[in-house]
Amino acid sequence: MGEDGGENYNTLLSENLLPCEDITYFIGGDKIYRLDRGIRLVPFWKLSKVSSSLITYKNNTYLLEDINIPEDGKIDITSDNQLIEWYKKNVLKKEWNSIYEAKDFKSVDAVVTSELQRLKIPTSIYQNRLARIMELSSNVSLTFEELEDLSSAPWFKDVVQKAMDENAERYLEKLKKNHSAEISRIKSDYEQELSVLDNKVKQDKESLQRQIEDKKEELTRITLNNKKEECELKKTILKLQGELDSITNEIENKNKIIDELDSRKESIIADFSIVKEVLSSSTNFPTGKLTVTAIDFNMNNEREFPTAGPFRKNIESLLMKSNGIKVSADEIVTKLSLHNVVLFPDNKTLLATMQATRRCRYVVSYVGVDWKSFNNLWESGLSVIINEAINNPDLIHFLVLRNINMSYIPCYLQPILDMESGLIKYYPGTELEFPENLRILCTRVKETVIPVTEASLEGVGCITTCDERYTGNGNIAEGYLPVSVFSDLPVDEQYSETNIYDLYTDDE
């Protein structure tokens, strides 16, 4: 084993020691090393220091117990692909605007150095990673999903807006085609109603016309001497003629109204869609009382988890005990590492994730139908938990956001997602950044209140269900998850490259 993490990774891979599913010891030279799942810094001890725990029998060496003494050092086993993924997530995504303006990836060398120093890793490993990143940076490629993250950049928005302007007419034609059946139905109803109205008007007109003709015939039969009767008949004829003129004017007015409705039928259809959406979203939900809650287990004589392994196993153990929905603990760890906001399929899974840390603080907030902006989220618990997280940097904090589809998600959550993508640095109206010891955990109402689309969840880490069986024994690990491990959780490539929204979106 040497100082180059990429070469160490390839060596262990060739020896079939990677990927590592559980704690594994191996001997190299005069040292013994300990591998653990998802860990990239491998501790080692000199064989001479642990000789009392080793026994050799028939050319096989056995370790009698776990090594608990302080290690003599660490080696790096970060592969080139893992280093590039870290480089894209923590450097390129955050500094894309400055890279674009400078036309040079080397403009972020200072950011690379700062991010590596922040991890507080051994100097030799830090220097080796820095040298590898400088060598690999010219060969970095971006996936489609990563390009989507760049869509918040002003120049990218200009390109998208231009494309939308050029294709607007085609999009309108597509909308007309999609709604052709409804338009045809409305037109048919309109024509049917017009036909009924025309028939009624024609019948009334014919009836009046017959009455006039009858009166005229009667008039011809009256003698010239009966002047009074003749005068009354003329008055009746004039009255009937006036009624006929009134009906004729009414027909003309109704035709004008029909013509106006015909010219506005597309806007009427659009207005009806808006009214329908408003009516369908009128369900209300009361806002719960704001409370800061603590999860603390065995405050005395507890040790910190050295890795994320115990946290992952605690999630599986707690889910087995609660008989909850089966999910992947690796996916939960990965989504907590990559996203500020994580959406869970149910409350049991969310609660098991918090309890698996064995020490944290959280606030529960309920989204209301009256939430229209980021201020609603800020005033309903976000400001409180941020203050707690800043004042207690050594403790993990969560904001539990229940029923997120009671209002339109981007209305109140977009600034948080923009901070994650690097579009903005601070919370709106403040100079506060998103704390490393804070995550927002969400659930949604099962019924459709405000329809959730894939676009409205962009940037949210979505936990999916699976068929995998939990392999743990149900025991809870002693100790607790420290912020140092929480802020640098390992990423499983299986779950880092995809984000599946099907479980949370509504059918259109």
Side-chain angles (χ1 to χ4, degrees):
M1 299 289 100
E3 293 183 352
D4 191 310
E7 292 181 0
N8 290 340
Y9 179 88
N10 292 334
T11 299
L12 295 178
L13 196 63
S14 66
E15 294 289 340
N16 295 321
L17 290 173
L18 292 178
C20 176
E21 295 299 329
D22 209 337
I23 295 178
T24 302
Y25 287 88
F26 67 91
I27 293 176
D30 62 346
K31 300 178 181 65
I32 184 168
Y33 301 81
R34 180 170 66 195
L35 286 175
D36 199 354
R37 181 185 180 91
I39 301 304
R40 298 179 186 171
L41 294 180
V42 177
F44 64 81
W45 297 263
K46 292 181 180 179
L47 288 174
S48 59
K49 285 189 176 183
V50 297
S51 59
S52 61
S53 298
L54 297 175
I55 186 172
T56 301
Y57 178 71
K58 291 185 178 180
N59 295 326
N60 292 324
T61 300
Y62 299 90
L63 181 63
L64 301 180
E65 59 185 358
D66 194 13
I67 301 176
N68 292 317
I69 63 174
E71 68 265 16
D72 293 323
K74 293 182 179 180
I75 62 166
D76 189 16
I77 59 168
T78 303
S79 68
D80 289 349
N81 287 338
Q82 292 170 337
L83 200 57
I84 288 176
E85 287 301 315
W86 177 89
Y87 180 55
K88 290 190 288 188
K89 170 189 171 185
N90 293 279
V91 179
L92 294 188
K93 193 163 101 171
K94 292 181 178 179
E95 301 296 327
W96 180 256
N97 284 339
S98 62
I99 297 172
Y100 178 76
E101 292 174 0
K103 308 296 183 184
D104 184 7
F105 279 96
K106 295 297 183 182
S107 63
V108 294
D109 286 356
V111 179
V112 174
T113 302
S114 175
E115 284 294 317
L116 285 175
Q117 290 175 338
R118 183 180 64 80
L119 297 178
K120 298 180 180 179
I121 58 180
T123 303
S124 60
I125 295 177
Y126 149 70
Q127 291 175 344
N128 179 263
R129 284 189 182 180
L130 180 61
R132 289 168 62 200
I133 286 175
M134 297 310 172
E135 181 179 349
L136 294 171
S137 63
S138 60
N139 298 319
V140 171
S141 61
L142 299 176
T143 65
F144 176 76
E145 289 76 11
E146 291 164 334
L147 283 172
E148 284 186 319
D149 287 342
L150 302 179
S151 62
S152 57
W155 65 271
F156 197 91
K157 282 187 177 179
D158 294 341
V159 174
V160 173
Q161 187 61 49
K162 181 179 179 182
M164 289 174 62
D165 293 340
E166 293 175 351
N167 292 278
E169 195 165 329
R170 287 177 56 197
Y171 178 70
L172 291 176
E173 289 297 324
K174 182 179 179 181
L175 281 179
K176 289 181 180 179
K177 183 177 179 181
N178 291 341
H179 295 281
S180 59
E182 187 174 0
I183 293 174
S184 298
R185 181 184 60 77
I186 292 175
K187 183 177 180 181
S188 175
D189 292 343
Y190 148 74
E191 291 176 349
Q192 184 176 358
E193 184 176 352
L194 180 61
S195 176
V196 171
L197 182 61
D198 283 343
N199 289 335
K200 185 178 183 304
V201 171
K202 287 179 181 178
Q203 290 174 1
D204 292 343
K205 184 176 180 181
E206 289 174 358
S207 177
L208 287 172
Q209 192 68 46
R210 285 195 300 270
Q211 292 183 42
I212 292 173
E213 294 298 327
D214 292 339
K215 294 299 181 182
K216 285 182 179 180
E217 291 178 1
E218 185 179 352
L219 182 61
T220 59
R221 292 192 302 266
I222 297 174
T223 63
L224 294 176
N225 294 329
N226 197 348
K227 298 294 185 182
K228 183 178 180 180
E229 186 177 353
E230 181 182 356
C231 182
E232 291 296 326
L233 286 173
K234 287 182 178 179
K235 288 181 179 180
T236 302
I237 291 172
L238 290 174
K239 180 180 178 181
L240 292 173
Q241 187 66 50
E243 292 178 0
L244 179 63
D245 293 339
S246 175
I247 291 175
T248 302
N249 291 333
E250 183 179 355
I251 291 173
E252 292 177 356
N253 291 334
K254 288 186 180 297
N255 284 333
K256 289 180 180 179
I257 293 173
I258 291 170
D259 291 339
E260 183 179 355
L261 290 173
D262 187 57
S263 64
R264 292 181 58 241
K265 62 184 178 183
E266 293 184 0
S267 63
I268 290 173
I269 293 171
D271 293 342
F272 174 77
S273 299
I274 293 173
V275 172
K276 178 181 179 183
E277 181 176 350
V278 170
L279 290 176
S280 66
S281 63
S282 61
T283 305
N284 201 351
F285 192 85
T287 301
K289 184 180 179 181
L290 184 63
T291 305
V292 179
T293 306
I295 294 178
D296 289 303
F297 294 88
N298 301 328
M299 293 290 289
N300 297 325
N301 302 322
E302 284 206 353
R303 64 181 181 86
E304 297 180 350
F305 293 159
T307 67
F311 173 54
R312 179 181 61 82
K313 290 181 179 179
N314 280 354
I315 294 175
E316 292 185 350
S317 298
L318 289 166
L319 288 176
M320 276 197 302
K321 290 181 177 180
S322 66
N323 197 25
I325 296 174
K326 285 186 170 54
V327 298
S328 169
D330 290 326
E331 182 179 19
I332 292 177
V333 171
T334 298
K335 293 300 169 64
L336 287 174
S337 175
L338 298 178
H339 298 277
N340 293 336
V341 183
V342 181
L343 181 54
F344 286 79
D346 67 345
N347 195 44
K348 285 184 178 180
T349 309
L350 184 151
L351 183 59
T353 300
M354 292 196 300
Q355 290 178 336
T357 66
R358 291 180 57 80
R359 184 173 294 178
C360 67
R361 297 286 188 276
Y362 66 92
V363 165
V364 179
S365 181
Y366 297 87
V367 177
V369 295
D370 58 337
W371 283 29
K372 301 298 182 186
S373 70
F374 174 74
N375 288 338
N376 296 116
L377 176 61
W378 182 261
E379 295 170 358
S380 299
L382 180 58
S383 61
V384 174
I385 200 66
I386 289 173
N387 185 61
E388 289 284 328
I390 293 174
N391 292 332
N392 301 277
D394 296 328
L395 193 61
I396 298 171
H397 292 76
F398 297 104
L399 173 61
V400 178
L401 203 56
R402 299 275 282 149
N403 310 333
I404 63 171
N405 58 326
M406 292 297 291
S407 182
Y408 185 52
I409 296 171
C411 280
Y412 60 88
L413 200 55
Q414 194 62 53
I416 304 296
L417 304 179
D418 289 342
M419 292 175 75
E420 179 181 311
S421 67
L423 179 61
I424 60 176
K425 188 175 182 181
Y426 304 111
Y427 292 99
T430 75
E431 294 185 359
L432 301 175
E433 299 185 42
F434 198 97
E436 290 186 353
N437 59 334
L438 172 64
R439 294 293 185 277
I440 299 176
L441 311 184
C442 308
T443 60
R444 61 157 286 169
V445 179
K446 291 183 179 180
E447 295 79 9
T448 299
V449 183
I450 298 299
V452 178
T453 63
E454 184 173 323
S456 65
L457 292 178
E458 185 175 353
V460 177
C462 295
I463 305 300
T464 56
T465 58
C466 64
D467 297 326
E468 74 173 29
R469 301 181 62 180
Y470 302 131
T471 58
N473 54 15
N475 294 334
I476 303 300
E478 291 296 328
Y480 67 92
L481 182 65
V483 173
S484 59
V485 177
F486 178 74
S487 62
D488 192 28
L489 291 171
V491 174
D492 191 318
E493 295 182 1
Q494 176 183 352
Y495 300 107
S496 64
E497 298 176 357
T498 58
N499 203 11
I500 300 175
Y501 305 98
D502 294 348
L503 186 62
Y504 304 99
T505 55
D506 297 300
D507 295 333
E508 297 182 354

